[in-house]
Amino acid sequence: MGDHKEQPLRVGAAVRRRRRALELTLAVVAERSGLSVPFLSQIENDRARPSRSSLEKVADALRTTAVELLAAADPACSVDVVRADDTEPPAQPRARSLVRGHHQMHASEFTGDHDAGREFQYRNDQLMYVADGAVEIEAEGRAYRLGRGDTLYLTGGVRHRWRAAESDTRVIVVAVAEHIEAVRDRPRR
């Protein structure tokens, strides 16, 4: 009772808005993502539904995350419950959005291994919480190992990468959404 009945997500408008905000053409996004111009056009016009892998490629090309694109695609709800069993059957590794809609913050749960070679840099602040297992994080030229119950806070703009250090690792990432002007230019030390 009271659960938000999720409609199929339509990410096309979110992709188009982001592309136009960056003043990019479909051809540039195609080149950056490795996807074809016709396929990207179909995505933007909601005539094609991208796989998670394709959405990640589009997000990387648009300098954002798949979670941000999905959040921008879904209408906001004032109260929404995301049930653990609302997702697809577990496949290792997986990422699951814990917040639906276009909100001031987003949260994701990452289970299993993670692409340690991928570098992240979020515009706004972020908190990582290790629910199970352990992770190794590289940020600001330093390495950190976090175990169950540990958190790491990253100020917006900090480049970082991380990987699961144990099997069955589960990490919760909570961040201020990128469409929010939460930080002002901070002097670098």
Side-chain angles (χ1 to χ4, degrees):
M1 185 167 117
D3 289 1
H4 169 71
K5 299 296 181 199
E6 186 176 6
Q7 300 295 319
L9 292 177
R10 297 173 54 155
V11 299
V15 170
R16 184 183 305 108
R17 279 191 304 271
R18 178 68 180 179
R19 178 179 62 80
R20 287 180 176 168
L22 294 173
E23 299 179 355
L24 299 175
T25 64
L26 280 173
V28 170
V29 176
E31 183 180 325
R32 288 182 181 179
S33 67
L35 301 172
S36 72
V37 171
F39 181 58
L40 291 170
S41 177
Q42 288 176 346
I43 290 172
E44 284 193 1
N45 291 300
D46 288 314
R47 289 191 306 258
R49 192 169 173 199
S51 66
R52 183 71 180 188
S53 173
S54 292
L55 189 58
E56 288 283 342
K57 290 176 183 179
V58 171
D60 286 345
L62 296 174
R63 298 185 192 114
T64 189
T65 64
V67 171
E68 279 295 318
L69 290 175
L70 291 170
D74 196 16
C77 298
S78 58
V79 175
D80 188 23
V81 175
V82 178
R83 302 276 183 202
D85 59 355
D86 279 354
T87 61
E88 300 170 7
Q92 297 292 335
R94 77 168 193 188
R96 177 172 78 101
S97 181
L98 301 176
V99 177
R100 290 184 286 228
H102 195 65
H103 298 288
Q104 293 184 14
M105 64 178 3
H106 65 82
S108 299
E109 175 186 61
F110 296 90
T111 305
D113 204 1
H114 185 71
D115 181 3
R118 184 170 179 206
E119 185 175 68
F120 295 92
Q121 181 181 25
Y122 293 98
R123 177 175 162 192
N124 294 321
D125 296 358
Q126 173 184 7
L127 177 81
M128 296 178 75
Y129 171 76
V130 181
D132 289 307
V135 296
E136 292 175 351
I137 303 169
E138 180 186 318
E140 295 282 296
R142 293 186 58 196
Y144 303 90
R145 183 177 173 93
L146 278 67
R148 184 172 188 229
D150 291 341
T151 62
L152 178 78
Y153 183 87
L154 298 163
T155 301
V158 172
R159 292 182 184 274
H160 62 284
R161 64 183 84 227
W162 64 277
R163 72 173 195 85
E166 297 177 4
S167 62
D168 298 327
T169 293
R170 198 165 50 100
V171 177
I172 309 297
V173 177
V174 179
V176 175
E178 292 197 15
H179 69 277
I180 301 297
E181 288 289 335
V183 294
R184 297 171 196 240
D185 290 333
R186 295 184 178 121
R188 287 293 206 195
R189 294 183 180 150

